[in-house]
C-alpha cells in the first residue's frame, strides 16, 4: 500500500505532549535532549509541565510540536528498523509541519530544525503587533465561497485565505477588523459557524512579509539536503525534492496559503491510499479523512501507537 507520512502544525500542542514517549523509549529521550541542547533551554520541561499559555506561544509551540514528531520517527527507526524511504512515497506537513517532514526525511538535522522553528516563531510574532491581526475559521463554506468572503471583507485591508483544510473548513487571516468582517459576511453566505482563532498573529498572509524576509536569511545559512522522500509543498500542492526549490518554498510559505486540501488530493491521485500522521494529536487525520474519504488514516503519537504501528511493518 502506498503511504504518505504527514506532520501536524500549530494547535496540536498540549501540556504533557511527548512525556510518555520519553518515559517509554530511549530514542525519544535522545530527540528531546537534542532539541533542548540546540535551543539552549529546557523546552521538554515546558512541554511536560507547562504552563499551557507559555507552551502555546508560537516560539515554543513550533519547536515543541516538531520535537514530538521527530521523537516518534527516531523511535520507529531505532526500535523497529523503520526506514522512511522504504515505506513512504511522500512526506507533507501542515505549516510548521513541513519542517518536521523535511527533518524526518533527512533534509535538515533535528538541531537545525529546532533553531529554525524557534526563529520562525519569533519572527512571525514580531511581524505584526499583538492585537492588529487575526485569523478566523469559516466552517461549511467551500473554498471558492470563502475566497469571495475574504475579498468582500478586505475593503482595502489584508484579508485572505490562509489554510484550505478541506471539508468545508477554510481559515482566513489578515487585519483584525477585516477578519471580523469576514466572520459576519460568512454568516450571510451560509457558513455553519465562523469564529476567531486563539492565535497571536495573522499567519500565512501578506502581513507576514517581515517574517518571510527573516526566514530567507535563516534558511540561507542552514544546510539543506535533498530529502530521502519527496515533499508535497504547502504552497504548490505538488512534489519537490530539489533543495534550492525547497528553500524558496519555505520562504514563500510564511506569507502563502497552506493548500492542504489540494495536497491531499494530489497525493491520492499519485496512488497514496494510506496517510500516517506522526506526532501530537489527530487533527491532520481528521482533515485527510474529510478529503480522501476512501483512504486509510493512522495516527502515531503515543507509545501504544508506536508499538501497534511497528507490528504492521
Amino acid at each position: 500500500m502506498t503511504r504518505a507520512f504527514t506532520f501536524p502544525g500549530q494547535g496540536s500542542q498540549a501540556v504533557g505532549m511527548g512525556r510518555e514517549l520519553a518515559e517509554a523509549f530511549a530514542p525519544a529521550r535522545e530527540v528531546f535532549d537534542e532539541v533542548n541542547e540546540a535551543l539552549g533551554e529546557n523546552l521538554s520541561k515546558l512541554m511536560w509541565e507547562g504552563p499551557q499559555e507559555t507552551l502555546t506561544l508560537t516560539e515554543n509551540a513550533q519547536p515543541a510540536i516538531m520535537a514530538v514528531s521527530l521523537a516518534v520517527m527516531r523511535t520507529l527507526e531505532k526500535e523497529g528498523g523503520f526506514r522512511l524511504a522504504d515505506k513512504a512515497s511522500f512526506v507533507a506537513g501542515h505549516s510548521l509541519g513541513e519542517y518536521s517532514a523535511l527533518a524526518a526525511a533527512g533534509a535538515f538535522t533535528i538541531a537545525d530544525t529546532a533553531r529554525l522553528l524557534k526563529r520562525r516563531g519569533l519572527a512571525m510574532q514580531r511581524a505584526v503587533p499583538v492585537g492588529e491581526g487575526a485569523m478566523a475559521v469559516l466552517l461549511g463554506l467551500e473554498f471558492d465561497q470563502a475566497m469571495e468572503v475574504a475579498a468582500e471583507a478586505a475593503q482595502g485591508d489584508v484579508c485572505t485565505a490562509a489554510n484550505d483544510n478541506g471539508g468545508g473548513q477554510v481559515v482566513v487571516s489578515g487585519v483584525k477588523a477585516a477578519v471580523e468582517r469576514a466572520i459576519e459576511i460568512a454568516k450571510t453566505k451560509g457558513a455553519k459557524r465562523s469564529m476567531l482563532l486563539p492565535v497571536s498573529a495573522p499567519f500565512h498572509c501578506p502581513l507576514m512579509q517581515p517574517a518571510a524576509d527573516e526566514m530567507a536569511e535563516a534558511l540561507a545559512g542552514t544546510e539543506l539536503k535533498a530529502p530521502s522522500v519527496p515533499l508535497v509543498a504547502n504552497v504548490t500542492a505538488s512534489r519537490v525534492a530539489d533543495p534550492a526549490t525547497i528553500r524558496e518554498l519555505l520562504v514563500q510559505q510564511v506569507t502563502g496559503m497552506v493548500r492542504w486540501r489540494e495536497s491531499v488530493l494530489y497525493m491520492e491521485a499519485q496512488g497514496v491510499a494510506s496517510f500516517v500522521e506522526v506526532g501530537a494529536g489527530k487533527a491532520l487525520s481528521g482533515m485527510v479523512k474529510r478529503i480522501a474519504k476512501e483512504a486509510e488514516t493512522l495516527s502515531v503519537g503515543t507509545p501504544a501507537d508506536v508499538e501497534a504501528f511497528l507490528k504492521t511493518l
Side-chain angles (χ1 to χ4, degrees), residues 138 141 149 181-195:
L138 312 182
L141 297 181
V149 167
R181 287 194 293 268
I183 290 172
E184 297 307 313
I185 293 168
K187 293 175 183 177
T188 71
K189 304 289 187 181
K192 295 178 181 177
R193 192 179 180 194
S194 301
M195 57 185 177

Side-chain angles (χ1 to χ4, degrees), residues 74-150:
R74 178 76 64 81
T75 301
L76 294 176
E77 292 164 359
K78 294 289 185 71
E79 297 289 325
F82 173 85
R83 290 186 72 250
L84 185 68
D86 294 338
K87 300 295 182 180
S89 298
F90 301 101
V91 292
H94 195 283
S95 191
L96 79 90
E98 208 158 65
Y99 287 79
S100 305
L102 288 165
F108 288 128
T109 67
I110 290 175
D112 282 343
T113 308
R115 287 188 285 263
L116 283 169
L117 287 174
K118 183 75 171 184
R119 186 165 180 181
R120 184 177 182 265
L122 287 167
M124 294 172 91
Q125 186 62 67
R126 285 193 296 260
V128 179
V130 174
E132 292 188 12
M135 300 180 77
V137 60
L138 312 182
L139 299 173
L141 297 181
E142 294 305 315
F143 178 67
D144 289 346
Q145 294 175 296
M147 288 289 284
E148 291 173 4
V149 167

Side-chain angles (χ1 to χ4, degrees), residues 40-310:
E41 62 182 273
N42 196 342
L43 181 64
S44 57
K45 179 178 172 63
L46 173 62
M47 293 164 60
W48 300 337
E49 299 179 11
Q52 179 72 28
E53 56 269 25
T54 305
L55 177 61
T56 299
L57 291 174
T58 303
E59 65 184 271
N60 296 324
Q62 294 199 22
I65 291 164
M66 179 277 297
V68 176
S69 292
L70 271 295
V72 172
M73 293 300 298
R74 178 76 64 81
T75 301
L76 294 176
E77 292 164 359
K78 294 289 185 71
E79 297 289 325
F82 173 85
R83 290 186 72 250
L84 185 68
D86 294 338
K87 300 295 182 180
S89 298
F90 301 101
V91 292
H94 195 283
S95 191
L96 79 90
E98 208 158 65
Y99 287 79
S100 305
L102 288 165
F108 288 128
T109 67
I110 290 175
D112 282 343
T113 308
R115 287 188 285 263
L116 283 169
L117 287 174
K118 183 75 171 184
R119 186 165 180 181
R120 184 177 182 265
L122 287 167
M124 294 172 91
Q125 186 62 67
R126 285 193 296 260
V128 179
V130 174
E132 292 188 12
M135 300 180 77
V137 60
L138 312 182
L139 299 173
L141 297 181
E142 294 305 315
F143 178 67
D144 289 346
Q145 294 175 296
M147 288 289 284
E148 291 173 4
V149 167
E152 184 178 340
Q155 298 180 19
D157 291 328
V158 172
C159 185
T160 188
N163 302 337
D164 177 12
N165 290 332
Q169 183 188 111
V170 180
V171 175
V172 296
S173 180
V175 174
K176 186 175 183 181
V179 172
E180 289 174 337
R181 287 194 293 268
I183 290 172
E184 297 307 313
I185 293 168
K187 293 175 183 177
T188 71
K189 304 289 187 181
K192 295 178 181 177
R193 192 179 180 194
S194 301
M195 57 185 177
L196 288 173
L197 293 175
V199 296
S200 54
F203 307 134
H204 298 292
C205 80
L207 296 176
M208 288 287 108
Q209 188 58 50
D213 295 340
E214 186 168 340
M215 289 311 298
E217 178 183 343
L219 287 160
T222 303
E223 183 180 15
L224 173 58
K225 299 177 181 178
S228 61
V229 177
L231 173 76
V232 177
N234 284 179
V235 297
T236 61
S238 61
R239 65 183 290 155
V240 60
D242 173 63
T245 305
I246 291 172
R247 205 182 301 270
E248 293 172 5
L249 292 175
L250 287 174
V251 175
Q252 294 175 26
Q253 184 226 61
V254 179
T255 57
M257 180 175 66
V258 176
R259 295 168 60 182
W260 189 252
R261 174 181 58 85
E262 294 173 87
S263 295
V264 172
L265 291 174
Y266 172 83
M267 289 184 277
E268 186 180 37
Q270 303 304 308
V272 172
S274 177
F275 292 82
V276 181
E277 179 178 6
V278 182
K282 299 182 179 181
L284 287 188
S285 295
M287 291 183 197
V288 168
K289 202 62 182 174
R290 291 195 298 268
I291 301 164
K293 294 181 172 57
E294 302 302 316
E296 175 189 68
T297 57
L298 298 171
S299 298
V300 185
T302 67
D305 294 339
V306 168
E307 291 170 359
F309 182 74
L310 288 176

